[in-house]
Amino acid sequence: LVQNADDAKYASDAELELGLRGRWFYAASNQAPGFTRDDVVALCDINKSTKRLDEATTGSKGIGFKAVFAVADAVHVLSNDYQFGFDTARDGAIGLVSPRWLDDVNQLPRAALERFEAGATVVVLELNGDEDVRDAKAALEQLGGDEGRRTLLFARRLRKLSVRVDDDVRVLANVDA
């Protein structure tokens, strides 16, 4: 998700917030213009990246986003007028590529919804189990320190990384682009 945010297009300095609240993990970025129809179609396919011909991006194979299903059966995407989700527990393997519109986004964590309401593109994962929650928390704690600074150092577009675990927030900024 960090790489996807770094590959996105932005109208201003690129910012990413990663958060964890209970079993909910989210990534919110200020990418502009947010998801287009082509982006949604690409997420619903394999090997159909909208970044395929863009040498300034890392991800171009059309499979990176699918990695989220290693830790979450339910994945929700909020961007522009799009509010949809994938659910492999409910739909089986077809759930990897066949989204359903979200009727009730109020089940999602408040911090993620606030970012979406402020114009961010947000991806929310409902983590599968306690081990996935522990691993996500450990990864976020690393990103809130030196690992996050290294991530920003090698990022092409990201200039600010915020890490939120419950009510603890750490903000890292890359001052030199």
Side-chain angles (χ1 to χ4, degrees), residues 7-157:
D7 283 347
K9 294 184 178 13
Y10 294 87
S12 59
D13 283 348
E15 299 178 9
L16 175 65
E17 180 177 315
L18 300 173
L20 180 67
R21 168 79 78 196
R23 296 185 99 70
W24 296 100
F25 173 91
Y26 70 91
S29 69
N30 64 326
Q31 68 188 58
F35 275 28
T36 65
R37 181 186 181 284
D38 289 343
D39 294 323
V40 175
V41 169
L43 276 186
C44 300
D45 205 338
I46 296 174
N47 196 28
K48 190 165 185 159
S49 174
T50 56
K51 302 178 276 188
R52 180 166 300 288
L53 300 176
D54 188 349
E55 292 182 18
T57 63
T58 303
S60 62
K61 290 134 191 97
I63 57 173
F65 177 79
K66 301 296 188 270
V68 300
F69 292 103
V71 296
D73 292 332
V75 179
H76 312 284
V77 178
L78 310 170
S79 184
N80 291 328
D81 293 331
Y82 298 107
Q83 298 178 19
F84 61 93
F86 300 91
D87 192 333
T88 58
R90 179 188 60 212
D91 300 328
I94 195 70
L96 291 167
V97 294
S98 182
R100 294 183 188 224
W101 292 111
L102 294 177
D103 294 324
D104 182 20
V105 297
N106 291 321
Q107 66 170 331
L108 303 177
R110 171 89 340 245
L113 291 175
E114 287 171 357
R115 295 287 283 128
F116 173 62
E117 290 162 1
T121 290
V122 183
V123 177
V124 182
L125 315 179
E126 186 174 358
L127 299 174
N128 289 333
D130 293 339
E131 184 177 350
D132 295 318
V133 172
R134 281 191 302 274
D135 290 348
K137 185 174 183 178
L140 288 176
E141 287 172 351
Q142 288 179 339
L143 279 171
D146 288 340
E147 189 64 32
R149 286 187 253 302
R150 281 190 288 276
T151 298
L152 284 174
L153 178 65
F154 293 102
R156 291 184 171 114
R157 293 185 178 98

